[in-house]
Amino acid sequence: MIIYIEFGGHYIINKDDKQSITWYIRSSSKLPENFTGFYNTVYPNALSNNSWDLVRDTFSSSKTTRKECPCSQTANLLFPVLDIKNKNTFDIFWVTRYIEHRYTQKECLNFNFSNFDFLENRKGTEQISQSLFNKQTKALKPIEMGEILALYENPVKNNRNRNPEQAKSRAKYFCDLYSENLNK
């Protein structure tokens, strides 16, 4: 049973879907090191954990979020477009495990941020960075990366044009969390 759970994704995903997953992940633009470092500090060990860690942490703590496993997020984004017959709730985990066997958490994080729609015709970190701060992503300060994470968390609720106080407080929260985790 454990072997099937671990490698089941290989059998439920057809050849065309495997090629699509590869194309989507490999064609994503790479995030600069400052941004991946910020993300990994805000969500400690997100780039070294996997879906098994997410499952374990979910059962042991109610504060665990899917953001702590980028490959799990990638599977959730890609799952609706995959041609899997008789989809059920376990299939998403099998797809996640398939992705984790072939790609790193960092590659999944690149995919997630490259394809995320931040609304207002801004897709990906480079577009949102240029739109909000008129800078490249690699030149952002922690508070600015915090604002991007806030938008990634909820682009409607944490939008500086629609809800400036909420956006500011959420960006500050991520910046403070970054500083706190950096000093541990």
Side-chain angles (χ1 to χ4, degrees):
M1 179 69 163
I2 290 180
I3 292 173
Y4 182 69
I5 290 172
E6 187 67 14
F7 298 103
H10 180 72
Y11 300 106
I12 66 166
I13 302 172
N14 67 37
K15 182 181 175 186
D16 292 336
D17 285 341
K18 289 176 185 177
Q19 289 174 343
S20 295
I21 290 170
T22 299
W23 183 84
Y24 281 125
I25 292 176
R26 299 283 183 200
S27 65
S28 299
S29 59
K30 302 209 180 325
L31 292 169
E33 286 301 316
N34 67 327
F35 195 86
T36 56
F38 183 84
Y39 188 92
N40 199 42
T41 304
V42 169
Y43 298 106
N45 303 317
L47 300 180
S48 60
N49 286 346
N50 64 31
S51 56
W52 285 114
D53 296 320
L54 178 65
V55 169
R56 183 195 68 227
D57 293 345
T58 300
F59 284 118
S60 66
S61 170
S62 61
K63 294 177 13 177
T64 303
T65 66
R66 194 168 294 280
K67 305 263 189 276
E68 295 178 28
C69 180
C71 287
S72 178
Q73 291 176 283
T74 299
N76 277 311
L77 291 171
L78 293 175
F79 190 71
V81 298
L82 298 178
D83 184 29
I84 297 173
K85 305 253 187 283
N86 304 320
K87 291 182 180 179
N88 65 49
T89 55
F90 292 111
D91 290 344
I92 191 77
F93 186 75
W94 292 326
V95 171
T96 301
R97 292 305 301 154
Y98 172 81
I99 290 171
E100 285 178 337
H101 283 292
R102 283 153 186 80
Y103 309 101
T104 65
Q105 294 286 355
K106 194 171 185 177
E107 289 173 312
C108 291
L109 188 68
N110 290 333
F111 169 80
N112 297 339
F113 275 96
S114 294
N115 292 289
F116 188 78
D117 186 357
F118 289 96
L119 302 181
E120 299 175 8
N121 229 10
R122 303 173 297 191
K123 189 172 184 178
T125 53
E126 282 304 319
Q127 285 186 357
I128 193 70
S129 179
Q130 286 294 326
S131 174
L132 293 178
F133 312 111
N134 203 20
K135 296 180 182 178
Q136 290 185 333
T137 309
K138 64 183 177 185
L140 294 177
K141 297 175 185 167
I143 191 71
E144 295 165 336
M145 289 185 277
E147 187 169 347
I148 290 175
L149 276 187
L151 284 170
Y152 183 64
E153 179 183 66
N154 190 331
V156 175
K157 183 179 176 184
N158 298 324
N159 187 314
R160 66 161 61 167
N161 297 326
R162 296 179 185 179
N163 197 348
E165 289 302 315
Q166 172 67 23
K168 186 177 180 179
S169 71
R170 201 66 186 154
K172 185 176 178 341
Y173 166 78
F174 282 121
C175 189
D176 291 346
L177 187 59
Y178 170 75
S179 297
E180 180 183 312
N181 288 344
L182 197 61
N183 294 327
K184 284 185 179 178

